[in-house]
Amino acid sequence: MAKQKIVIKVNMASDKCRSKAMALVASTSGVDSVALAGDSKDQVVVVGDGVDSIKLTTALRKKVGHATLMTVGEVKKEEKKPEPAAVVEYPWSYHPYTFAPPAQHVVYQYPASSWSIF
C-alpha cells in the first residue's frame, strides 16, 4: 500500500484545540507525519500508510469540533537532484599547519678594554 496524504479541515478556535487535534492524529496508527496548513491553521495534513481517513475525521469531530475531509491522495515523491560536489583547489605548496621560525640567538662581543685584572 502506498503512502497517502489526507487533508482535513477542522474548526479550531484556539491553540489548545490545535494541539489536541495534533495529538489525536499523531497517536493514530500508521501516521508518519502531521502538520497544520491553511491561512488560519485550520487544516490538518496527515501523511501515512494505511490510515483510515473516515475514522480519523470522525474522531476529530468527536474530540475537537466540526471536521470536513478535504482531500485524500497519494504522496508524490520529490526527486532530488544531487548537488555537484564543490571543488576546492589548493596551491601545491599548501600546508595544513604553519611552522614557527627557528629561534635566533644574539651573541654580544664586548670590546677589549684598556685595563686588565692581571
Side-chain angles (χ1 to χ4, degrees):
M1 187 176 241
K3 287 192 178 193
Q4 57 186 1
K5 179 179 178 181
I6 303 167
V7 180
I8 303 170
K9 185 172 184 176
V10 184
N11 288 343
M12 298 179 282
S14 65
D15 288 335
K16 185 176 180 181
C17 291
R18 287 183 187 90
S19 64
K20 190 175 185 180
M22 294 279 284
L24 176 71
V25 173
S27 66
T28 305
S29 65
V31 173
D32 292 335
S33 68
V34 182
L36 292 175
D39 294 334
S40 59
K41 303 287 185 191
D42 61 345
Q43 294 179 357
V44 179
V45 179
V46 182
V47 175
D49 190 21
V51 180
D52 189 358
S53 58
I54 302 299
K55 287 184 180 179
L56 191 60
T57 306
T58 304
L60 283 169
R61 282 184 189 142
K62 288 181 181 178
K63 298 286 182 175
V64 181
H66 182 73
T68 306
L69 183 61
M70 302 296 284
T71 59
V72 177
E74 288 190 26
V75 175
K76 298 177 184 176
K77 293 183 181 178
E78 296 178 9
E79 293 183 23
K80 295 183 180 178
K81 296 181 181 177
E83 295 180 14
V87 177
V88 179
E89 294 183 26
Y90 294 106
W92 65 273
S93 63
Y94 173 76
H95 296 287
Y97 49 89
T98 59
F99 295 101
Q104 296 180 359
H105 298 286
V106 179
V107 178
Y108 291 102
Q109 192 172 22
Y110 295 105
S113 64
S114 58
W115 57 274
S116 143
I117 297 178
F118 300 110

